Amino acid sequence: METTSGVEEGAGNAVSGVEIQLEHVTKRYPGTRQPAVEDVTMTIPAGKIVILVGPSGCGKTTTMRMINRLIEPTSGRITIGGEDALSLNPDRLRRKVGYAIQQAGLFPHFTVAQNIAVVPGLLGWDKKKVGNRVEEMMDLVGLDPKQFHDRYPRQLSGGQQQRVGVARALAADPPVLLMDEPFGAVDPITRGNLQDELLRLQSELHKTIVFVTHDFDEAVKLGDKIAVLGDQSKILQYDTPDAILANPADDTVAGFVGAGASLKQLTLLRVRDVELRTDAVTATYGESPEDLRQKLTEQRKTYALILDERKRPVRWAHVRDLRAATSLATVGRPLGDLVSLQSTLQDALEAMLVEGGGVPVTGQRGEYAGMIELDTVMATIQRLREEHAES
Ligand SMILES: Nc1ncnc2c1ncn2[C@@H]1O[C@H](COP(=O)(O)OP(=O)(O)OP(=O)(O)O)[C@@H](O)[C@H]1O
């Protein structure tokens, strides 16, 4: 991938982002009594997505815009990759920090290509390099250059405009990307797709991304870390999503996290992360129904899980069904639901509600790997709470 400055090589899995530090940063707008942002100190780690989340007017946008100096801090210090942001010249700052905002903020009289080319143009790249970069960026965000290159923003859907906004922010390959409610103005499905795409992009690019939202679910989905802000950008809690969900720092954070924190936490964990029960009685198609009936009786169990020739779970057989059965391939009832090791614990919980109890888990090739039980999910939530309470 092309880079614009020697220090920020962004190939492969290398972290191309740089650390950002805010030290005692305050912003007092002229003519206001209270500062909009007061004495904020935080470190945003290189190559991570950090979400600023908090109620309307708490100072999220002001905090973010001080990083690229769209707003000048009244006092304090900001460094980007160790360089003092306040003494960087505008070109250097543009190279270092990309910026994407709600409703994309595209120039209406510029085509898609011209919009993406703005910062490279300001930085004086030659025409050919700019042209190549524009095409590369359009590919990156999933817009076919043949179709979209010469369109104007009004000829695009909201989601497409946001993609152009992201492409424009990334065009000069900055190590830092600031995103201010970039997906705030699109419908929930498009928003989910754009979030997925951002995560995919980030898994390739490893930028340092500072992302403002007031949607806590968006914060949980996207953030490596979340800063929950109160008035004047006071940091109420700054931690990983699972730590905040498990153990909100105070009632304000808990209120913001909202109802169902434990349920949200289940979307962060996968079935492979928890212990499965392997004591269920199983039998494969070829085995005799009578042998299975005896096994169940000996073990005082009522149900057996029937597996096909490739060890994939297919049916449940009750001990009563086995007496008259001629083959395990047709006995009992088909499985209602199952989950894989990759499924989230939330998927598993949903499947348990459908099944009315434990659910079979399958491995890579669909083979039976064990059972996940409601007790395990409950114990996991409890364990996470305790772990985070201790730390
Ligand atoms: N140019 C300005 N002059 C005076 N006050 C301002 C100015 N810009 C913002 N403010 C005030 O500073 C505070 C923080 O505003 P900011 O836009 O940073 O909040 P926010 O958390 O991003 O809000 P939202 O989520 O509603 O966008 C608000 O009380 C706002 O009214």
Side-chain angles (χ1 to χ4, degrees):
M1 141 166 257
E2 190 167 22
T3 56
T4 55
S5 90
V7 276
E8 294 113 30
E9 296 299 329
N13 281 333
V15 171
S16 65
V18 294
E19 184 179 274
I20 303 169
Q21 281 193 322
L22 281 73
E23 293 166 36
H24 303 291
V25 174
T26 293
K27 175 66 191 180
R28 201 179 288 275
Y29 287 108
T32 56
R33 261 200 280 159
Q34 287 201 321
V37 171
E38 187 170 26
D39 196 23
V40 170
T41 295
M42 71 188 296
T43 299
I44 295 162
K48 301 288 180 197
I49 302 184
V50 167
I51 314 280
L52 307 181
V53 67
S56 183
C58 74
K60 304 181 291 293
T61 298
T62 304
T63 303
M64 169 176 273
R65 288 186 175 183
M66 286 191 285
I67 297 172
N68 63 352
R69 282 175 60 201
L70 284 174
I71 294 173
E72 293 287 338
T74 310
S75 59
R77 202 172 120 85
I78 298 175
T79 58
I80 302 174
E83 282 185 276
D84 184 351
L86 303 182
S87 56
L88 284 177
N89 71 37
D91 260 9
R92 184 106 185 105
L93 201 57
R94 278 192 199 108
R95 240 177 246 168
K96 285 208 157 242
V97 186
Y99 186 51
I101 58 174
Q102 188 169 13
Q103 293 182 317
L106 302 176
F107 299 116
H109 304 299
F110 281 14
T111 64
V112 166
Q114 287 166 335
N115 266 288
I116 298 173
V118 166
V119 175
L122 288 171
L123 295 175
W125 294 14
D126 70 54
K127 249 185 152 167
K128 186 157 178 289
K129 187 173 166 189
V130 175
N132 291 341
R133 185 66 179 168
V134 166
E135 297 228 346
E136 193 187 343
M137 286 298 102
M138 291 185 71
D139 277 338
L140 187 72
V141 298
L143 290 173
D144 179 3
K146 279 197 227 63
Q147 209 182 337
F148 292 101
H149 191 276
D150 297 320
R151 286 214 200 162
Y152 288 89
R154 69 185 140 75
Q155 300 169 315
L156 303 175
S157 73
Q160 288 162 349
Q161 290 183 25
Q162 289 309 145
R163 289 191 177 88
V164 177
V166 172
R168 183 176 64 174
L170 288 171
D173 198 22
V176 171
L177 187 57
L178 305 182
M179 306 184 85
D180 193 349
E181 302 231 20
F183 312 143
V186 292
D187 66 85
I189 293 176
T190 308
R191 186 172 191 163
N193 291 339
L194 290 167
Q195 290 166 343
D196 292 342
E197 282 174 32
L198 179 66
L199 290 173
R200 178 183 57 77
L201 278 179
Q202 174 66 349
S203 70
E204 285 175 35
L205 302 177
H206 305 278
K207 304 284 180 192
T208 305
I209 300 179
V210 187
F211 189 109
V212 162
T213 181
H214 25 315
D215 176 353
F216 195 76
D217 292 339
E218 181 164 73
V220 169
K221 178 167 175 185
L222 297 179
D224 293 304
K225 288 183 88 175
I226 300 174
V228 185
L229 304 179
D231 285 348
Q232 300 166 311
S233 270
K234 181 173 188 287
I235 298 173
L236 303 178
Q237 190 164 12
Y238 183 37
D239 213 328
T240 57
D242 59 337
I244 294 176
L245 286 168
N247 191 23
D250 60 24
D251 288 350
T252 316
V253 178
F256 205 72
V257 166
S262 301
L263 290 178
K264 284 175 199 163
Q265 196 166 14
L266 296 180
T267 64
L268 294 169
L269 283 171
R270 309 235 162 220
V271 171
R272 60 166 184 259
D273 301 327
V274 301
E275 205 168 319
L276 302 180
R277 290 207 27 194
T278 49
D279 59 351
V281 175
T282 61
T284 33
Y285 276 178
E287 292 180 43
S288 113
E290 181 51 27
D291 288 353
L292 178 58
R293 195 185 65 78
Q294 283 181 17
K295 197 154 123 191
L296 280 171
T297 314
E298 274 161 29
Q299 296 192 21
R300 296 169 183 275
K301 297 217 163 119
T302 42
Y303 277 100
L305 183 63
I306 310 297
L307 313 178
D308 70 7
E309 305 83 352
R310 292 167 61 192
K311 303 280 179 213
R312 293 176 302 198
V314 278
R315 311 179 75 78
W316 282 115
H318 192 282
V319 66
R320 270 196 317 265
D321 303 331
L322 292 165
R323 212 177 273 281
T326 49
S327 156
L328 292 187
T330 51
V331 76
R333 64 174 171 88
L335 287 186
D337 216 341
L338 45 74
V339 294
S340 77
L341 290 169
Q342 275 71 43
S343 304
T344 66
L345 287 194
Q346 189 181 41
D347 298 333
L349 187 60
E350 262 175 41
M352 282 175 211
L353 295 175
V354 173
E355 277 289 275
V359 172
V361 177
T362 56
Q364 288 263 312
R365 294 169 310 286
E367 79 285 5
Y368 176 64
M371 295 284 295
I372 182 160
E373 306 280 346
L374 191 57
D375 292 354
T376 315
V377 177
M378 306 287 277
T380 304
I381 293 175
Q382 190 63 33
R383 178 175 55 75
L384 285 169
R385 281 218 175 111
E386 284 162 9
E387 269 176 24
H388 290 295
E390 282 158 19
S391 60

PDB file of all heavy atoms in Angstrom, residues 2 113-114 117 120-135 149:
ATOM      1  N   GLU A   2       0.406   2.256  -0.669  1.00  0.00           N
ATOM      2  CA  GLU A   2       1.168   3.485  -0.819  1.00  0.00           C
ATOM      3  C   GLU A   2       1.154   4.280   0.486  1.00  0.00           C
ATOM      4  O   GLU A   2       0.139   4.360   1.152  1.00  0.00           O
ATOM      5  CB  GLU A   2       0.466   4.299  -1.883  1.00  0.00           C
ATOM      6  CG  GLU A   2       1.237   5.482  -2.343  1.00  0.00           C
ATOM      7  CD  GLU A   2       0.576   6.002  -3.614  1.00  0.00           C
ATOM      8  OE1 GLU A   2      -0.598   5.726  -3.843  1.00  0.00           O
ATOM      9  OE2 GLU A   2       1.266   6.676  -4.349  1.00  0.00           O
ATOM     10  N   ALA A 113     -14.733  11.279  -7.250  1.00  0.00           N
ATOM     11  CA  ALA A 113     -13.274  11.231  -7.401  1.00  0.00           C
ATOM     12  C   ALA A 113     -12.630  12.519  -6.891  1.00  0.00           C
ATOM     13  O   ALA A 113     -11.617  12.482  -6.186  1.00  0.00           O
ATOM     14  CB  ALA A 113     -12.913  10.998  -8.864  1.00  0.00           C
ATOM     15  N   GLN A 114     -13.245  13.653  -7.240  1.00  0.00           N
ATOM     16  CA  GLN A 114     -12.664  14.940  -6.790  1.00  0.00           C
ATOM     17  C   GLN A 114     -12.735  15.066  -5.271  1.00  0.00           C
ATOM     18  O   GLN A 114     -11.820  15.593  -4.642  1.00  0.00           O
ATOM     19  CB  GLN A 114     -13.411  16.100  -7.449  1.00  0.00           C
ATOM     20  CG  GLN A 114     -13.081  16.242  -8.923  1.00  0.00           C
ATOM     21  CD  GLN A 114     -14.062  17.166  -9.644  1.00  0.00           C
ATOM     22  OE1 GLN A 114     -15.209  17.346  -9.222  1.00  0.00           O
ATOM     23  NE2 GLN A 114     -13.607  17.746 -10.746  1.00  0.00           N
ATOM     24  N   ALA A 117     -10.013  13.080  -3.783  1.00  0.00           N
ATOM     25  CA  ALA A 117      -8.689  13.612  -4.122  1.00  0.00           C
ATOM     26  C   ALA A 117      -8.319  14.889  -3.370  1.00  0.00           C
ATOM     27  O   ALA A 117      -7.199  15.391  -3.527  1.00  0.00           O
ATOM     28  CB  ALA A 117      -8.627  13.872  -5.627  1.00  0.00           C
ATOM     29  N   PRO A 120      -4.967  14.627  -0.951  1.00  0.00           N
ATOM     30  CA  PRO A 120      -3.769  14.425  -1.784  1.00  0.00           C
ATOM     31  C   PRO A 120      -3.469  15.642  -2.666  1.00  0.00           C
ATOM     32  O   PRO A 120      -2.306  16.012  -2.846  1.00  0.00           O
ATOM     33  CB  PRO A 120      -4.124  13.203  -2.640  1.00  0.00           C
ATOM     34  CG  PRO A 120      -5.101  12.433  -1.805  1.00  0.00           C
ATOM     35  CD  PRO A 120      -5.898  13.483  -1.058  1.00  0.00           C
ATOM     36  N   GLY A 121      -4.519  16.287  -3.180  1.00  0.00           N
ATOM     37  CA  GLY A 121      -4.324  17.497  -3.999  1.00  0.00           C
ATOM     38  C   GLY A 121      -3.680  18.611  -3.195  1.00  0.00           C
ATOM     39  O   GLY A 121      -2.705  19.234  -3.632  1.00  0.00           O
ATOM     40  N   LEU A 122      -4.196  18.825  -1.980  1.00  0.00           N
ATOM     41  CA  LEU A 122      -3.629  19.869  -1.122  1.00  0.00           C
ATOM     42  C   LEU A 122      -2.174  19.570  -0.789  1.00  0.00           C
ATOM     43  O   LEU A 122      -1.367  20.476  -0.592  1.00  0.00           O
ATOM     44  CB  LEU A 122      -4.424  19.974   0.186  1.00  0.00           C
ATOM     45  CG  LEU A 122      -5.816  20.590   0.096  1.00  0.00           C
ATOM     46  CD1 LEU A 122      -6.560  20.426   1.410  1.00  0.00           C
ATOM     47  CD2 LEU A 122      -5.709  22.073  -0.274  1.00  0.00           C
ATOM     48  N   LEU A 123      -1.856  18.274  -0.713  1.00  0.00           N
ATOM     49  CA  LEU A 123      -0.487  17.901  -0.359  1.00  0.00           C
ATOM     50  C   LEU A 123       0.438  17.930  -1.572  1.00  0.00           C
ATOM     51  O   LEU A 123       1.622  17.631  -1.468  1.00  0.00           O
ATOM     52  CB  LEU A 123      -0.467  16.498   0.269  1.00  0.00           C
ATOM     53  CG  LEU A 123      -1.204  16.374   1.610  1.00  0.00           C
ATOM     54  CD1 LEU A 123      -1.228  14.932   2.083  1.00  0.00           C
ATOM     55  CD2 LEU A 123      -0.545  17.262   2.674  1.00  0.00           C
ATOM     56  N   GLY A 124      -0.134  18.256  -2.758  1.00  0.00           N
ATOM     57  CA  GLY A 124       0.696  18.457  -3.939  1.00  0.00           C
ATOM     58  C   GLY A 124       1.118  17.177  -4.640  1.00  0.00           C
ATOM     59  O   GLY A 124       2.128  17.164  -5.355  1.00  0.00           O
ATOM     60  N   TRP A 125       0.366  16.080  -4.465  1.00  0.00           N
ATOM     61  CA  TRP A 125       0.714  14.855  -5.188  1.00  0.00           C
ATOM     62  C   TRP A 125       0.532  15.090  -6.685  1.00  0.00           C
ATOM     63  O   TRP A 125      -0.346  15.851  -7.086  1.00  0.00           O
ATOM     64  CB  TRP A 125      -0.197  13.702  -4.790  1.00  0.00           C
ATOM     65  CG  TRP A 125      -0.072  13.233  -3.381  1.00  0.00           C
ATOM     66  CD1 TRP A 125       0.540  13.857  -2.345  1.00  0.00           C
ATOM     67  CD2 TRP A 125      -0.633  12.033  -2.863  1.00  0.00           C
ATOM     68  NE1 TRP A 125       0.411  13.110  -1.207  1.00  0.00           N
ATOM     69  CE2 TRP A 125      -0.305  11.986  -1.501  1.00  0.00           C
ATOM     70  CE3 TRP A 125      -1.373  10.991  -3.414  1.00  0.00           C
ATOM     71  CZ2 TRP A 125      -0.698  10.934  -0.685  1.00  0.00           C
ATOM     72  CZ3 TRP A 125      -1.766   9.944  -2.608  1.00  0.00           C
ATOM     73  CH2 TRP A 125      -1.423   9.911  -1.238  1.00  0.00           C
ATOM     74  N   ASP A 126       1.319  14.343  -7.512  1.00  0.00           N
ATOM     75  CA  ASP A 126       1.102  14.521  -8.959  1.00  0.00           C
ATOM     76  C   ASP A 126      -0.184  13.806  -9.384  1.00  0.00           C
ATOM     77  O   ASP A 126      -0.685  12.928  -8.685  1.00  0.00           O
ATOM     78  CB  ASP A 126       2.326  14.096  -9.777  1.00  0.00           C
ATOM     79  CG  ASP A 126       2.525  12.600  -9.753  1.00  0.00           C
ATOM     80  OD1 ASP A 126       1.574  11.873 -10.086  1.00  0.00           O
ATOM     81  OD2 ASP A 126       3.637  12.164  -9.396  1.00  0.00           O
ATOM     82  N   LYS A 127      -0.681  14.215 -10.566  1.00  0.00           N
ATOM     83  CA  LYS A 127      -2.003  13.791 -11.024  1.00  0.00           C
ATOM     84  C   LYS A 127      -2.164  12.280 -11.096  1.00  0.00           C
ATOM     85  O   LYS A 127      -3.194  11.722 -10.716  1.00  0.00           O
ATOM     86  CB  LYS A 127      -2.239  14.361 -12.433  1.00  0.00           C
ATOM     87  CG  LYS A 127      -3.309  15.426 -12.461  1.00  0.00           C
ATOM     88  CD  LYS A 127      -3.554  15.830 -13.876  1.00  0.00           C
ATOM     89  CE  LYS A 127      -4.982  16.323 -14.019  1.00  0.00           C
ATOM     90  NZ  LYS A 127      -5.210  17.008 -15.258  1.00  0.00           N
ATOM     91  N   LYS A 128      -1.101  11.619 -11.594  1.00  0.00           N
ATOM     92  CA  LYS A 128      -1.202  10.177 -11.797  1.00  0.00           C
ATOM     93  C   LYS A 128      -1.318   9.461 -10.449  1.00  0.00           C
ATOM     94  O   LYS A 128      -2.142   8.570 -10.268  1.00  0.00           O
ATOM     95  CB  LYS A 128       0.047   9.707 -12.556  1.00  0.00           C
ATOM     96  CG  LYS A 128      -0.002   8.267 -12.945  1.00  0.00           C
ATOM     97  CD  LYS A 128       0.925   7.984 -14.135  1.00  0.00           C
ATOM     98  CE  LYS A 128       0.909   6.517 -14.495  1.00  0.00           C
ATOM     99  NZ  LYS A 128       1.580   5.670 -13.520  1.00  0.00           N
ATOM    100  N   LYS A 129      -0.501   9.913  -9.501  1.00  0.00           N
ATOM    101  CA  LYS A 129      -0.531   9.300  -8.171  1.00  0.00           C
ATOM    102  C   LYS A 129      -1.899   9.508  -7.520  1.00  0.00           C
ATOM    103  O   LYS A 129      -2.450   8.593  -6.911  1.00  0.00           O
ATOM    104  CB  LYS A 129       0.586   9.941  -7.315  1.00  0.00           C
ATOM    105  CG  LYS A 129       0.778   9.293  -5.974  1.00  0.00           C
ATOM    106  CD  LYS A 129       2.017   9.870  -5.271  1.00  0.00           C
ATOM    107  CE  LYS A 129       2.024   9.498  -3.813  1.00  0.00           C
ATOM    108  NZ  LYS A 129       3.052  10.168  -3.031  1.00  0.00           N
ATOM    109  N   VAL A 130      -2.449  10.712  -7.688  1.00  0.00           N
ATOM    110  CA  VAL A 130      -3.773  11.001  -7.122  1.00  0.00           C
ATOM    111  C   VAL A 130      -4.820  10.090  -7.769  1.00  0.00           C
ATOM    112  O   VAL A 130      -5.640   9.464  -7.086  1.00  0.00           O
ATOM    113  CB  VAL A 130      -4.172  12.487  -7.316  1.00  0.00           C
ATOM    114  CG1 VAL A 130      -5.602  12.722  -6.839  1.00  0.00           C
ATOM    115  CG2 VAL A 130      -3.212  13.399  -6.557  1.00  0.00           C
ATOM    116  N   GLY A 131      -4.770   9.978  -9.109  1.00  0.00           N
ATOM    117  CA  GLY A 131      -5.731   9.140  -9.838  1.00  0.00           C
ATOM    118  C   GLY A 131      -5.695   7.696  -9.363  1.00  0.00           C
ATOM    119  O   GLY A 131      -6.741   7.081  -9.107  1.00  0.00           O
ATOM    120  N   ASN A 132      -4.485   7.162  -9.227  1.00  0.00           N
ATOM    121  CA  ASN A 132      -4.348   5.771  -8.753  1.00  0.00           C
ATOM    122  C   ASN A 132      -4.909   5.609  -7.357  1.00  0.00           C
ATOM    123  O   ASN A 132      -5.580   4.640  -7.042  1.00  0.00           O
ATOM    124  CB  ASN A 132      -2.868   5.350  -8.734  1.00  0.00           C
ATOM    125  CG  ASN A 132      -2.315   5.214 -10.131  1.00  0.00           C
ATOM    126  OD1 ASN A 132      -3.079   5.080 -11.086  1.00  0.00           O
ATOM    127  ND2 ASN A 132      -0.993   5.268 -10.264  1.00  0.00           N
ATOM    128  N   ARG A 133      -4.593   6.606  -6.533  1.00  0.00           N
ATOM    129  CA  ARG A 133      -5.021   6.523  -5.138  1.00  0.00           C
ATOM    130  C   ARG A 133      -6.553   6.577  -5.026  1.00  0.00           C
ATOM    131  O   ARG A 133      -7.151   5.865  -4.215  1.00  0.00           O
ATOM    132  CB  ARG A 133      -4.373   7.688  -4.357  1.00  0.00           C
ATOM    133  CG  ARG A 133      -4.621   7.654  -2.887  1.00  0.00           C
ATOM    134  CD  ARG A 133      -3.967   6.465  -2.237  1.00  0.00           C
ATOM    135  NE  ARG A 133      -4.203   6.469  -0.799  1.00  0.00           N
ATOM    136  CZ  ARG A 133      -3.957   5.460  -0.003  1.00  0.00           C
ATOM    137  NH1 ARG A 133      -3.431   4.352  -0.489  1.00  0.00           N
ATOM    138  NH2 ARG A 133      -4.204   5.529   1.271  1.00  0.00           N
ATOM    139  N   VAL A 134      -7.169   7.421  -5.836  1.00  0.00           N
ATOM    140  CA  VAL A 134      -8.632   7.536  -5.814  1.00  0.00           C
ATOM    141  C   VAL A 134      -9.256   6.178  -6.144  1.00  0.00           C
ATOM    142  O   VAL A 134     -10.159   5.705  -5.456  1.00  0.00           O
ATOM    143  CB  VAL A 134      -9.119   8.619  -6.808  1.00  0.00           C
ATOM    144  CG1 VAL A 134     -10.618   8.512  -7.056  1.00  0.00           C
ATOM    145  CG2 VAL A 134      -8.773  10.014  -6.275  1.00  0.00           C
ATOM    146  N   GLU A 135      -8.741   5.521  -7.191  1.00  0.00           N
ATOM    147  CA  GLU A 135      -9.294   4.209  -7.571  1.00  0.00           C
ATOM    148  C   GLU A 135      -9.079   3.190  -6.459  1.00  0.00           C
ATOM    149  O   GLU A 135      -9.971   2.408  -6.127  1.00  0.00           O
ATOM    150  CB  GLU A 135      -8.638   3.719  -8.870  1.00  0.00           C
ATOM    151  CG  GLU A 135      -8.939   4.632 -10.028  1.00  0.00           C
ATOM    152  CD  GLU A 135      -9.405   3.884 -11.269  1.00  0.00           C
ATOM    153  OE1 GLU A 135      -9.247   2.651 -11.321  1.00  0.00           O
ATOM    154  OE2 GLU A 135      -9.937   4.557 -12.179  1.00  0.00           O
ATOM    155  N   HIS A 149     -17.117   6.912 -10.122  1.00  0.00           N
ATOM    156  CA  HIS A 149     -16.034   7.892 -10.213  1.00  0.00           C
ATOM    157  C   HIS A 149     -16.539   9.318 -10.483  1.00  0.00           C
ATOM    158  O   HIS A 149     -16.136  10.266  -9.820  1.00  0.00           O
ATOM    159  CB  HIS A 149     -15.098   7.424 -11.341  1.00  0.00           C
ATOM    160  CG  HIS A 149     -13.800   8.138 -11.417  1.00  0.00           C
ATOM    161  ND1 HIS A 149     -13.650   9.342 -12.075  1.00  0.00           N
ATOM    162  CD2 HIS A 149     -12.579   7.822 -10.926  1.00  0.00           C
ATOM    163  CE1 HIS A 149     -12.383   9.721 -11.994  1.00  0.00           C
ATOM    164  NE2 HIS A 149     -11.710   8.822 -11.287  1.00  0.00           N
TER     165      HIS A 149
END
